[in-house]
Amino acid sequence: MRLLALLAVAVLLTVVQARAQVYEPYDGYDEDRGYGYDDPYSPYPPPPYYDPSPRYQEPLYDRRAPSTRSARGNIVIATREHTLIYTTASGEQFVYPIAVGREGKQWYGTTRVVSKRLYPEWRPTPSMRQKNPRLPAVVKPGPNNPLGTRAIYLADGLLRIHGTNDPSSIGTNASSGCFRMYLEDVEELYDMVQPGTRVIVQR
């Protein structure tokens, strides 16, 4: 009987010790899952959760007629509608669902496309890496890159239209000022727009 009791205690201690070595996954930095990021115009916005395997969600394609008119050759971003409208020089319109900046991180006004980058790298800011030392200095192109496969730089390079590794964020206020698109959408837009294209960001 004493041998059985000792055996039970040994098994219990083994289970308790095994449980004590299990670490819960890191689930964010603060209540709103921010990165302590205070500059909406930084060239390096944070990823939504920096999840190497973001959950899959069916694309939120919304090709409704835009509620705003755009001059030919312009991009219009309707922030409240989470919509980007590009009107070609011939008058054809392309309407895309997007993610926009969180409250307090939104920018409105008129700017232009200054450059484009194919398969951009993402470089976390020093403050992001201080909060999360697991972030690498550089995220090379690939499925983990928060900028996706294309980046269109605006406002002298301080704002961007880019892809995302978190398609579930499209249609929401999720970024730190930049505009996220589905990968297939940003690739299509990237091929059409050129530096100098006027971009109007509306409320």
Side-chain angles (χ1 to χ4, degrees):
M1 190 69 170
R2 180 178 298 176
L3 181 61
L4 285 176
L6 289 174
L7 184 59
V9 170
V11 169
L12 182 60
L13 287 174
T14 302
V15 170
V16 170
Q17 184 178 7
R19 287 184 179 174
Q21 294 174 351
V22 175
Y23 295 92
E24 292 297 321
Y26 192 71
D27 60 358
Y29 305 109
D30 51 41
E31 292 183 357
D32 64 356
R33 289 181 283 192
Y35 282 75
Y37 178 78
D38 298 321
D39 183 3
Y41 309 115
S42 168
Y44 306 116
Y49 309 107
Y50 196 71
D51 183 356
S53 301
R55 63 187 182 280
Y56 177 78
Q57 182 173 352
E58 288 294 330
L60 177 69
Y61 279 112
D62 189 354
R63 302 291 188 176
R64 67 186 183 280
S67 62
T68 184
R69 295 185 175 222
S70 172
R72 294 186 179 192
N74 286 354
I75 292 174
V76 172
I77 294 173
T79 301
R80 288 179 183 169
E81 297 180 12
H82 303 94
T83 301
L84 183 150
I85 305 141
Y86 174 59
T87 306
T88 67
S90 63
E92 185 178 6
Q93 283 195 330
F94 293 83
V95 183
Y96 304 105
I98 59 172
V100 301
R102 301 188 301 272
E103 292 300 323
K105 304 293 185 182
Q106 297 174 357
W107 179 88
Y108 311 101
T110 300
T111 182
R112 61 190 175 89
V113 173
V114 294
S115 63
K116 305 191 300 180
R117 187 165 300 168
L118 185 68
Y119 299 109
E121 293 182 342
W122 179 69
R123 297 174 182 271
T125 63
S127 61
M128 292 179 201
R129 298 190 69 206
Q130 185 177 6
K131 284 184 175 290
N132 182 6
R134 295 179 304 167
L135 287 175
V138 180
V139 179
K140 297 291 186 181
N144 298 344
N145 192 309
L147 302 183
T149 58
R150 306 287 190 277
I152 301 170
Y153 291 79
L154 314 175
D156 298 325
L158 300 179
L159 289 174
R160 285 179 295 204
I161 299 168
H162 60 78
T164 181
N165 65 343
D166 183 15
S168 66
S169 68
I170 302 299
T172 69
N173 298 4
S175 78
S176 293
C178 292
F179 308 101
R180 302 177 187 170
M181 301 179 69
Y182 290 122
L183 296 182
E184 53 267 45
D185 288 348
V186 76
E187 289 171 5
E188 181 177 72
L189 182 67
Y190 183 97
D191 289 339
M192 291 189 290
V193 303
Q194 300 301 324
T197 299
R198 191 178 185 213
V199 180
I200 303 165
V201 182
Q202 301 176 340
R203 293 183 186 274

